[in-house]
């Protein structure tokens, strides 16, 4: 039992400051991410961007900021960054390839919401099909044709 206590004491004597720094960076990192997101949410909601697009962009930004925080914490903990970045890159590539069509639709939705080429109530024609825009969502645009089909 005495040897165990001595090992615990040695661990905290050699790694104590590293643990304190890790916890401080974790707490301040979370606070900073939340503060940045809160400030950007206020700025975006005052802009001409739609609420849906603002929410989407903030979600992506929050994800990226937390990933950066995780990389910083891993570096503080002494975890080698090269395998971590390689694994993250491989996972992102696999997800990107698997969701290629959905991501394309999502990117088109962001472009439509950002550029606002049409709004709800406008009559549009796409590939020979025309209709009145009833809803604009991130992945889909809902049209109501003259013969009441969605």
């Amino acid at each position: 039992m005495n040897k165990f206590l001595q090992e615990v004491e040695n661990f905290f004597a050699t790694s104590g400051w590293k643990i304190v720094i890790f916890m401080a960076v974790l707490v301040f990192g979370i606070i900073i991410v939340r503060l940045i997101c809160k400030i950007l949410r206020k700025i975006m909601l005052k802009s001409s961007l739609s609420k849906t697009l603002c929410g989407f962009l903030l979600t992506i930004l929050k994800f990226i900021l937390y990933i950066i925080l995780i990389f910083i914490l891993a570096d503080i903990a002494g975890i080698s960054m090269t395998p971590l970045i390689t694994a993250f890159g491989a996972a992102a590539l696999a997800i990107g390839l698997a969701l290629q069509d959905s991501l394309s639709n999502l990117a088109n939705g962001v472009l439509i919401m950002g550029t606002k080429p049409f709004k709800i109530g406008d009559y549009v024609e796409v590939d020979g099909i025309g209709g009145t825009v009833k809803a604009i969502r991130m992945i889909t645009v809902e049209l109501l044709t003259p013969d009441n089909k969605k």
Side-chain angles (χ1 to χ4, degrees), residues 10-132:
N10 286 339
F11 172 77
F12 282 108
T14 58
S15 302
W17 284 111
K18 191 180 265 191
I19 294 170
V20 170
I21 291 170
F22 181 90
M23 295 305 290
V25 170
L26 175 64
V27 170
F28 287 122
I30 291 172
I31 291 170
I32 289 171
V33 168
R34 288 182 179 174
L35 184 65
I36 289 171
C37 289
K38 189 175 184 178
I39 291 169
L40 287 176
R41 174 176 281 118
K42 287 181 181 181
I43 292 170
M44 285 182 172
L45 290 177
K46 289 180 181 179
S47 71
S48 62
L49 295 175
S50 70
K51 288 183 181 180
T52 306
L53 183 58
C54 290
F56 174 72
L57 293 175
L58 283 171
T59 301
I60 289 176
L61 178 71
K62 188 185 296 186
F63 176 75
I64 291 170
L65 290 174
Y66 277 122
I67 291 293
I68 291 170
L69 180 61
I70 289 170
F71 284 157
I72 292 170
L73 291 172
D75 188 47
I76 291 171
I79 298 172
S80 177
M81 297 303 293
T82 305
L84 190 62
I85 291 172
T86 304
F88 182 73
L93 178 65
I95 291 169
L97 289 174
L99 299 174
Q100 187 174 6
D101 292 336
S102 296
L103 290 174
S104 174
N105 290 341
L106 189 63
N108 289 332
V110 169
L111 285 174
I112 288 172
M113 289 187 168
T115 60
K116 298 182 181 180
F118 50 83
K119 59 184 182 300
I120 295 175
D122 287 352
Y123 184 84
V124 296
E125 192 167 323
V126 180
D127 288 335
I129 299 172
T132 305

Side-chain angles (χ1 to χ4, degrees), residues 123-124 126 128-134 142-150:
Y123 184 84
V124 296
V126 180
I129 299 172
T132 305
V133 178
K134 289 295 177 188
E142 185 178 316
L143 298 178
L144 184 64
T145 61
D147 55 347
N148 287 330
K149 291 183 182 177
K150 287 186 179 182

Side-chain angles (χ1 to χ4, degrees), residues 1-13:
M1 184 71 168
N2 191 18
K3 185 177 180 183
F4 174 74
L5 291 176
Q6 189 176 17
E7 287 180 17
V8 170
E9 184 180 318
N10 286 339
F11 172 77
F12 282 108

